[in-house]
Amino acid sequence: MPGVLSHSLFSNFDIHLFRSGKHYRLYEKLGSHPMKVDGVEGTYFAVWAPSANAVYVVGDFNHWQQDHKLNVRWDGSGIWEGFIPGTGKGTLYKYKIHSNNDGMVTEKADPFARSCEHPPRTASVVWEGDYTWKDEDWMETRETKNGLDCPHSVYEVHLGSWKRKSDNSFMTYKELADDLVNYVKEMNFTHVEFMPIMEYPYDPSWGYQLTGYFAPTSRFGSPEDFKLLVDKLHQNGIGVILDWVPSHFPEDAHGLGMFDGSHLFEHPDKRRGYHPDWKSLIFNYGRNEVRAFLISNALFWLDQFHADALRVDAVASMLYLDYSREEGEWEPNIYGNNENLEAISFVRELNEAVYLNFNGVQMIAEESTSFSMVSRPVSIGGLGFGMKWMMGWMNDTLEYFKNDPIHRRHHQNDITFSMTYTFTENFMLPFSHDEVVYGKQSLLYRMPGDEWQRFANLRLLYGYMFTHPGAKLLFMGAEFGQSSEWNFQASLDWHLLQYDVHSGIQKLVKDLNTLYRNHPALYEKQFTDEGFQWIDYGDHENSVLTFIRKGVNKKDDLIIACNFTPILRLNYRVGIEKTGKLKEIFNTDDQKYGGSGSTNNKALKVESIPWHGNKKSMELDIPPLGVVILK
């Protein structure tokens, strides 16, 4: 066919690694790569399509006609490749694949495309980026800011609805590199987590149904524009976490499903290859080339876009064969149980590859079951993640707060139960987007009582969250008490900040972030029981909790008292081991946060009165629906 020259980026060793599932840099080989061959400018194309008997590159350069047929490699790898002169950055293209499976013909976007057309258009775009990073200081020192003994206060963001322009159009990556970065820095969050920014066709999926795994969505600009956003965050000392979805993908005609007329990426057995809840396809984790595709994709975002962490979506759906399935809709593994052994093996290999290849990064599991050792090393039988979302804490806490305070004395065990398992994993405490959609209401309106009590409860919730062991995550809008549910089609309700009660919540979260970052007792040992000690968890009649958070140095210890009722607890006695005086360093009831101002303004004297099993004690006032922190 005219215009296709023989050329290859693959060595025999590359092919060996690919077929064995160990090639973790496939994005350097597969896909479209502008280059010069024998002095001629053009693009090298390579695609994996083992069930094809012909693969054509069709695009705007050949009027979408079958004029450029790729060459199949001789080695049985199923890779088709070739060099097409006269194409380059900006060329639109797809692969037209003639299958040897009943003559099926598919027209597919490139799984490795670095850029895609703006949805609803579906073509891939040849791309060659030119970006000079300026985040050397962050990259060289991020191990000291992104480790498990560092503060992680994460601001979860959906780029399409954080803030929009006056005509309701999207802000661009470049605009967000100013507005969003300045805001996150002002609010003292340590990290931003972006809901999926990989290309996706359908806005209501929020990005969790991907078709362009290697392309930042074109909704907000170019790949280099997204690099600028990451770069600016790093230059301001803010880490970047990307949501990543290896659990499923949509059935869109241009996507990965039935790619070459066969079940190439998805498992061929519908019991393992189709997700009934999301009506999407599930990757075949037992196929070596698919594992290499996914691990290469994870490494791609860490390598090419300097991501500091990946939050892996829907891990539970990967681990269990019977996830969201009725009896008869799934088949047990070879041992007769419900664990997906191939997926478990893949997850372990993924995490090992990430931590081996990059320093100072984290892998975070959104995993909602009691699967053991999710955040423990593979070497001791764990899945190898760095952290896991603490879904149980989130559910139990919101259920507890839903109770009218007068009834909370009957539910003390619900609010203390998390401490029985907090240190079994490295937990992140999430109030994510999932908690403010589908009729659940905003966090503010999940709080009981009149307006004052709603806001006081929200301040109490955040104070309790930031003093509870574990990393923290808040979805955008929660930091100023957004009153309505999240709407992905519109901006957050920024106008609420004109009201003192909402600006007070915002000040509270900003100061809690500062407190968390500045007090080692809240983060140095946040994943070990050495960093926590109950003083008293049994005062259910008053619905009061008292405990100690501990750092490496005893002088950093903090004493926390939480009052889950609207009754001011005057002269409440707390047993402690310390001598001398204690000072209140934080109070969620401070008037600047919209509280009633029930604070402990004077130093608190420790007395030789035994209490709570300690030889000494002191008295303090615990504000209504408030948290007091002493040092």
Side-chain angles (χ1 to χ4, degrees):
M1 301 297 288
V4 178
L5 305 178
S6 293
H7 190 73
S8 183
L9 294 182
F10 284 89
S11 67
N12 290 339
F13 187 57
D14 285 323
I15 297 298
H16 167 72
L17 290 175
F18 176 52
R19 298 185 73 174
S20 61
K22 302 298 182 183
H23 202 308
Y24 300 153
R25 305 269 176 168
L26 286 176
Y27 52 89
E28 296 175 351
K29 308 293 179 178
L30 288 166
S32 56
H33 299 272
M35 61 179 59
K36 187 181 289 187
V37 174
D38 297 331
V40 178
E41 298 280 355
T43 305
Y44 166 78
F45 295 88
V47 62
W48 178 51
S51 290
N53 59 39
V55 176
Y56 300 86
V57 182
V58 299
D60 57 358
F61 65 96
N62 63 8
H63 307 289
W64 303 93
Q65 300 301 307
Q66 296 182 167
D67 294 335
H68 295 79
K69 182 181 179 183
L70 297 180
N71 307 304
V72 65
R73 287 185 61 89
W74 55 270
D75 50 26
S77 62
I79 293 172
W80 297 71
E81 60 186 350
F83 177 79
I84 302 179
T87 58
K89 183 177 179 178
T91 295
L92 303 181
Y93 72 101
K94 285 185 178 179
Y95 296 119
K96 195 157 192 174
I97 303 170
H98 292 251
S99 177
N100 58 26
N101 181 13
D102 296 329
M104 183 186 293
V105 178
T106 61
E107 194 167 291
K108 296 291 188 178
D110 187 346
F112 284 85
R114 302 293 185 91
S115 181
C116 302
E117 279 192 295
H118 193 298
R121 297 187 297 272
T122 58
S124 299
V125 184
V126 176
W127 200 259
E128 184 176 35
D130 182 20
Y131 186 82
T132 303
W133 289 90
K134 299 176 183 176
D135 62 349
E136 298 88 354
D137 289 347
W138 170 269
M139 296 297 284
E140 289 173 4
T141 61
R142 70 176 172 185
E143 285 183 82
T144 64
K145 304 164 188 170
N146 205 38
L148 295 177
D149 58 351
C150 300
H152 284 75
S153 180
V154 182
Y155 188 53
E156 186 190 22
V157 174
H158 178 259
L159 286 178
S161 58
W162 177 72
K163 187 182 288 185
R164 291 199 177 191
K165 300 177 185 177
S166 58
D167 62 357
N168 204 41
S169 62
F170 294 133
M171 293 186 73
T172 66
Y173 292 127
K174 285 184 175 179
E175 291 165 337
L176 290 161
D178 290 326
D179 283 28
L180 178 62
V181 173
N182 289 338
Y183 181 74
V184 174
K185 185 176 183 180
E186 173 67 21
M187 288 297 294
N188 289 317
F189 285 99
T190 64
H191 294 71
V192 167
E193 178 177 320
F194 292 128
M195 291 168 67
I197 53 83
M198 302 81 185
E199 194 61 82
Y200 57 98
Y202 188 51
D203 282 1
S205 78
W206 312 332
Y208 290 98
Q209 299 268 7
L210 307 181
T211 51
Y213 270 77
F214 290 83
T217 178
S218 55
R219 288 168 174 80
F220 315 117
S222 71
E224 282 62 54
D225 294 340
F226 181 60
K227 288 180 180 179
L228 174 68
L229 174 55
V230 175
D231 203 354
K232 283 288 187 71
L233 286 162
H234 282 172
Q235 290 174 47
N236 285 276
I238 301 161
V240 177
I241 303 169
L242 300 183
D243 272 13
W244 185 61
V245 191
S247 47
H248 64 114
F249 57 92
E251 292 185 286
D252 293 61
H254 68 289
L256 298 178
M258 294 296 290
F259 187 79
D260 60 355
S262 72
H263 297 287
L264 188 63
F265 288 92
E266 68 271 22
H267 199 286
D269 185 339
K270 195 170 183 178
R271 293 173 297 181
R272 298 178 65 178
Y274 183 77
H275 200 296
D277 284 356
W278 304 319
K279 296 178 173 56
S280 55
L281 302 173
I282 300 171
F283 284 103
N284 185 352
Y285 304 109
R287 189 164 194 170
N288 286 340
E289 295 90 343
V290 172
R291 292 164 75 107
F293 168 81
L294 288 170
I295 295 175
S296 290
N297 187 244
L299 269 58
F300 170 79
W301 294 101
L302 299 167
D303 173 28
Q304 298 289 300
F305 288 86
H306 291 199
D308 304 294
L310 298 177
R311 175 269 199 186
V312 183
D313 184 61
V315 173
S317 73
M318 301 167 63
L319 300 180
Y320 294 103
L321 296 167
D322 61 345
Y323 184 89
S324 195
R325 296 179 190 275
E326 301 296 329
E327 193 69 36
E329 295 178 346
W330 62 283
E331 185 178 48
N333 63 30
I334 58 173
Y335 301 111
N337 65 37
N338 64 343
E339 291 183 352
N340 187 332
L341 302 178
E342 293 172 344
I344 291 169
S345 168
F346 160 73
V347 167
R348 287 173 170 154
E349 184 180 351
L350 162 72
N351 286 325
E352 284 188 314
V354 166
Y355 284 115
L356 181 65
N357 282 275
F358 296 93
N359 292 323
V361 300
Q362 294 294 344
M363 294 292 285
I364 305 166
E366 190 246 339
E367 202 284 312
S368 56
T369 74
S370 57
F371 195 97
S372 64
M373 300 179 68
V374 171
S375 58
R376 295 294 180 259
V378 173
S379 59
I380 61 170
L383 288 184
F385 286 98
M387 283 183 256
K388 170 182 169 171
W389 276 21
M390 197 174 186
M391 310 295 276
W393 172 86
M394 178 272 298
N395 285 316
D396 290 346
T397 299
L398 290 178
E399 278 297 307
Y400 175 85
F401 269 82
K402 190 170 67 176
N403 295 306
D404 186 297
I406 199 170
H407 301 304
R408 286 178 179 169
R409 66 181 185 272
H410 303 302
H411 299 274
Q412 186 89 342
N413 288 342
D414 295 343
I415 199 68
T416 60
F417 178 66
S418 63
M419 291 310 305
T420 65
Y421 66 94
T422 287
F423 304 113
T424 60
E425 301 277 4
N426 300 333
F427 279 121
M428 177 176 282
L429 314 181
F431 288 134
S432 74
H433 64 274
D434 281 326
E435 304 317 309
V436 291
V437 289
Y438 299 143
K440 293 180 180 178
Q441 299 186 298
S442 65
L443 288 183
L444 177 65
Y445 276 87
R446 294 176 77 167
M447 301 294 109
D450 58 21
E451 183 183 82
W452 189 89
Q453 286 201 15
R454 284 188 193 276
F455 280 93
N457 268 303
L458 192 62
R459 293 191 298 270
L460 168 62
L461 177 69
Y462 293 161
Y464 167 66
M465 175 191 191
F466 272 78
T467 54
H468 189 288
K472 328 295 177 188
L473 179 140
L474 277 180
F475 182 56
M476 62 183 198
E479 82 279 7
F480 60 80
Q482 169 113 351
S483 53
S484 60
E485 279 195 341
W486 171 50
N487 177 6
F488 73 91
Q489 296 175 303
S491 173
L492 295 178
D493 294 335
W494 294 104
H495 65 275
L496 292 175
L497 287 170
Q498 66 186 299
Y499 303 108
D500 290 344
V501 283
H502 290 279
S503 63
I505 294 288
Q506 188 186 50
K507 289 174 187 172
L508 175 89
V509 171
K510 177 181 176 179
D511 289 354
L512 281 171
N513 279 330
T514 304
L515 178 90
Y516 179 45
R517 295 173 72 143
N518 291 346
H519 288 274
L522 294 175
Y523 63 80
E524 282 182 336
K525 296 182 177 182
Q526 60 191 339
F527 301 127
T528 168
D529 58 5
E530 295 176 356
F532 178 88
Q533 180 184 330
W534 282 117
I535 296 174
D536 182 23
Y537 58 84
D539 187 5
H540 55 87
E541 283 301 321
N542 291 311
S543 296
V544 169
L545 294 179
T546 48
F547 53 91
I548 305 171
R549 291 299 309 278
K550 299 180 176 183
V552 172
N553 296 315
K554 277 196 171 186
K555 65 180 179 62
D556 293 328
D557 289 1
L558 301 177
I559 294 173
I560 292 97
C562 306
N563 177 9
F564 294 94
T565 72
I567 300 169
L568 172 62
R569 303 296 178 189
L570 293 170
N571 302 317
Y572 188 92
R573 186 164 292 278
V574 178
I576 58 173
E577 302 169 352
K578 302 281 184 181
T579 56
K581 294 181 180 180
L582 289 158
K583 179 183 178 182
E584 179 181 282
I585 61 169
F586 200 91
N587 189 317
T588 62
D589 194 49
D590 197 303
Q591 288 182 333
K592 65 183 175 181
Y593 305 136
S596 65
S598 299
T599 57
N600 296 275
N601 295 319
K602 297 180 180 179
L604 303 171
K605 186 178 180 182
V606 177
E607 302 173 284
S608 296
I609 299 175
W611 209 262
H612 290 147
N614 291 302
K615 294 180 180 179
K616 300 180 183 296
S617 61
M618 51 113 188
E619 287 185 336
L620 77 158
D621 297 340
I622 313 179
L625 296 172
V627 176
V628 173
I629 304 175
L630 308 174
K631 183 175 170 63

